[in-house]
Amino acid sequence: FQPSPTRTWCAYKGEASYWSVRVGDELVPDLAWSYENPLNDAAPVRGMVSLFTERLDLTLDGEPQIRPRTPWS
């Protein structure tokens, strides 16, 4: 994971920081995000990282997962 300059804001959770991920020789920009200092009731997500599963191939317990179709696909 490499820090990205991208930031977004959620009125409920606060500022999101983004992370790019190196896969082999390719740097996939903004593939993950986290809330380093979440607001109020969102405090439990502090220190967690979420991935845009719309943009990667995921296998869970040996089973390939279908990529969801969302605005971030």
Side-chain angles (χ1 to χ4, degrees):
F1 287 75
Q2 297 181 0
S4 165
T6 303
R7 299 287 185 271
T8 58
W9 179 261
C10 170
Y12 178 71
K13 294 178 290 246
E15 183 181 60
S17 300
Y18 287 74
W19 305 86
S20 299
V21 178
R22 184 159 300 283
V23 180
D25 292 334
E26 180 185 358
L27 184 64
V28 181
D30 299 340
L31 187 62
W33 77 96
S34 64
Y35 291 92
E36 296 173 25
N37 295 299
L39 300 175
N40 306 319
D41 293 338
V45 301
R46 182 186 316 275
M48 295 182 177
V49 176
S50 296
L51 295 166
F52 285 105
T53 56
E54 302 90 337
R55 298 174 48 208
L56 55 85
D57 294 325
L58 179 65
T59 301
L60 180 63
D61 294 332
E63 295 293 322
Q65 303 297 299
I66 296 172
R67 286 186 183 191
R69 290 186 176 265
T70 72
W72 298 277
S73 297

